[in-house]
Amino acid sequence: MGLGPVATPEGKESSGNTSSTKVRVANFTTIPAFSEFTVRVHCQSPGLRFLQFEAKHHESLGISMANGIADILPLQPFPVKVLNLSERDRVLPKGMILGHALSHPKGIIALTSEEAPPFPERPDVDGELWKEEVNLNHLLPKQREIVWGLLAKYRQMWDGHLGHVTTANHRIELIPGAKPVQVQPYRAGPRARELESEEVQRMLKAGVIEPAISEWASPVVLVPKPDGKMRFCVDYRKLNAITVRDTYPLPRMDECIDSLGDATLFSTLDCNSGYWQIPVSPEDIEKTTFTCHEGLFWFLRMPFGLRNAPATFQRTMDILLSGLKWKTCLVYLDDIIIFSKSEEEHARHLDQVLTLLAGAGLSLNLKKCHFFRDTVDYLGHVIRLGKLQVATKIRKLSEPHDLPGLSRNFVPSWASATFTVALSQDLPSMPLR
């Protein structure tokens, strides 16, 4: 099916409404004939706005933007629905005016439909149900009430929503002369296609991805996990090969552990899908496009597998916690630990960390967080009362470097070519330096 005429990016703002601003197409987009498509647009006017389609300029092309309400950030792309009722594909050039963002009334009087749609289920964040996800049985009743009061201040951080960091985004800078990556989907059987579909739908629902029209395409691969389940991954190896490396350093695990010193109380925090809480820079979204049997999609949030994703996440967390890192907390990617010498001090330190994370828009997975513990697992080690032990496991190692995160102090015959190391609670504790 051939492409129809390219729509002109010119348009006129309604002369009778001075409060309107132009809603422009953010990226070159092609809408297939007789179809509805999600188009990324932007405008200069911030805040809650009513989007109104510019009918008189585009009716002849057979395209129409859905009217609606949007909470707009200045020049930050946001999605709108555009309908193509013509018999030909329509090309929307970058900068094309689709409509206007009008000042919206402060309240909505009623829904237009006769019956209001049901609200989606969400945790009872205003009640007490979230407490069921936290185990504080190791504390005395009085101590427990203090911790409950502290955690209640930040209940919105674990209401189940996916956080959105507003102070950072992920860039993908290409080496000079690089060309778009274009790879066909890998072959997949019925079960693999079913798993692909489930994950794509989950990410669409979470707002992590959206349908794409792009000259970029990286394939999806399903990787088996240790428990036998499959992990949905995008094979970004070709994209990574043409990406300029970000050399931002990750912390040394041994230095992190040594910094705990003589602390006796610990809390560990787990981000809710941490990478997905960082947006991809608008100009680089197209490069994240992946192809599978469900179609073509790109990431709005930072995906796993990109060359510089760990550096972006570590830099973001370092900036957020810059005043506290190494003093009262440590962060290695999405592993955060708060450490203190007394209960009063620990409550203050935990409050400071949660304040910074909440202010940045991060959300946490409460089920995987642990509070006011004298023993915690951190970076493969058991930290307890100023001492260090290795987490319980038994592994067969062919070379010493097969276990780079393990301290040499715990491994007998470290230099041996082949040896078995029993990592158990029976190993002696090492004092933290």
Side-chain angles (χ1 to χ4, degrees):
M1 185 177 294
L3 292 177
V6 176
T8 173
E10 297 301 323
K12 297 181 180 179
E13 191 169 357
S14 303
S15 58
N17 195 336
T18 58
S19 63
S20 65
T21 60
K22 298 173 182 177
V23 177
R24 296 179 179 270
V25 176
N27 301 299
F28 180 92
T29 306
T30 300
I31 305 180
F34 298 114
S35 63
E36 182 184 71
F37 201 77
T38 300
V39 177
R40 295 183 67 76
V41 298
H42 62 75
C43 71
Q44 296 179 348
S45 183
L48 195 63
R49 297 276 169 170
F50 179 76
L51 305 182
Q52 187 175 65
F53 175 56
E54 183 69 54
K56 69 177 182 179
H57 293 291
H58 304 311
E59 279 184 337
S60 61
L61 296 174
I63 63 173
S64 175
M65 180 187 77
N67 294 338
I69 299 172
D71 192 1
I72 301 172
L73 296 176
L75 297 180
Q76 290 294 314
F78 59 94
V80 297
K81 294 290 186 181
V82 177
L83 189 65
N84 179 11
L85 295 176
S86 70
E87 298 178 352
R88 311 186 69 175
D89 296 355
R90 297 299 185 189
V91 177
L92 309 184
K94 182 177 180 180
M96 173 183 174
I97 299 171
L98 288 178
H100 302 281
L102 310 177
S103 295
H104 185 68
K106 297 182 180 297
I108 300 175
I109 304 302
L111 298 171
T112 56
S113 59
E114 295 182 359
E115 184 177 352
F119 288 98
E121 293 183 1
R122 59 176 292 174
D124 179 25
V125 296
D126 295 324
E128 303 294 321
L129 294 182
W130 60 272
K131 291 186 177 182
E132 297 178 2
E133 299 183 355
V134 185
N135 182 6
L136 297 180
N137 293 334
H138 58 289
L139 298 177
L140 297 175
K142 186 176 181 179
Q143 297 171 324
R144 201 175 304 151
E145 288 304 314
I146 295 175
V147 179
W148 286 138
L150 174 61
L151 298 183
K153 289 174 55 180
Y154 304 98
R155 60 182 64 169
Q156 298 296 333
M157 293 185 69
W158 36 76
D159 65 357
H161 80 284
L162 183 64
H164 185 184
V165 176
T166 57
T167 58
N169 59 28
H170 181 69
R171 292 297 318 275
I172 304 175
E173 183 181 353
L174 303 180
I175 62 177
K179 296 181 179 180
V181 171
Q182 299 172 347
V183 182
Q184 291 296 315
Y186 292 151
R187 182 177 179 180
R191 177 55 182 160
R193 292 197 297 271
E194 182 181 345
L195 293 173
E196 281 184 4
S197 178
E198 291 175 358
E199 185 64 14
V200 166
Q201 294 305 315
R202 184 174 78 92
M203 291 189 292
L204 283 171
K205 184 177 180 180
V208 174
I209 63 173
E210 69 178 13
I213 293 180
S214 173
E215 59 181 340
W216 294 78
S218 295
V220 166
V221 60
L222 297 176
V223 180
K225 295 195 283 189
D227 60 4
K229 297 181 180 179
M230 303 300 289
R231 176 180 283 115
F232 181 99
C233 301
V234 180
D235 186 355
Y236 282 127
R237 286 178 295 179
K238 290 191 175 182
L239 173 60
N240 291 340
I242 59 174
T243 300
V244 176
R245 182 183 294 275
D246 183 350
T247 57
Y248 190 85
L250 298 181
R252 288 175 55 98
M253 286 191 289
D254 55 348
E255 288 183 351
C256 289
I257 294 170
D258 289 345
S259 298
L260 297 176
D262 56 354
T264 58
L265 275 177
F266 310 93
S267 292
T268 57
L269 306 179
D270 185 82
C271 293
N272 182 20
S273 300
Y275 277 27
W276 285 359
Q277 298 192 47
I278 297 180
V280 178
S281 182
E283 57 264 40
D284 296 316
I285 285 176
E286 188 177 16
K287 299 166 189 171
T288 67
T289 303
F290 66 90
T291 179
C292 64
H293 295 82
E294 288 291 298
L296 206 62
F297 304 87
W298 56 37
F299 278 90
L300 304 177
R301 306 292 185 92
M302 185 171 69
F304 297 91
L306 291 178
R307 182 174 196 174
N308 296 323
T312 294
F313 195 86
Q314 185 67 45
R315 179 187 288 108
T316 300
M317 298 304 294
D318 285 350
I319 293 174
L320 292 180
L321 301 175
S322 58
L324 304 177
K325 188 181 175 186
W326 303 111
K327 300 175 183 177
T328 61
C329 72
L330 299 172
V331 54
Y332 185 90
L333 295 176
D334 60 348
D335 288 317
I336 304 171
I337 185 170
I338 300 101
F339 56 94
S340 313
K341 297 179 182 179
S342 68
E343 293 178 3
E344 296 77 9
E345 190 179 65
H346 195 63
R348 185 173 68 255
H349 293 166
L350 180 58
D351 189 24
Q352 292 171 342
V353 171
L354 290 176
T355 297
L356 293 175
L357 297 181
L362 276 166
S363 62
L364 301 177
N365 184 350
L366 192 59
K367 290 182 179 180
K368 294 185 178 181
C369 296
H370 303 281
F371 302 100
F372 282 74
R373 299 274 185 171
D374 57 10
T375 301
V376 292
D377 291 339
Y378 185 65
L379 300 180
H381 295 77
V382 177
I383 313 295
R384 62 171 75 228
L385 297 176
K387 293 187 177 181
L388 172 69
Q389 288 183 312
V390 184
T392 304
K393 284 182 182 177
I394 297 179
R395 292 184 56 183
K396 176 73 176 179
L397 307 180
S398 58
E399 296 291 343
H401 60 256
D402 284 347
L403 201 55
L406 184 62
S407 171
R408 293 170 181 261
N409 296 327
F410 291 102
V411 182
S413 305
W414 177 270
S416 300
T418 302
F419 55 92
T420 300
V421 180
L423 310 179
S424 71
Q425 301 283 354
D426 298 330
L427 289 175
S429 299
M430 299 295 295
L432 292 173
R433 290 170 284 187

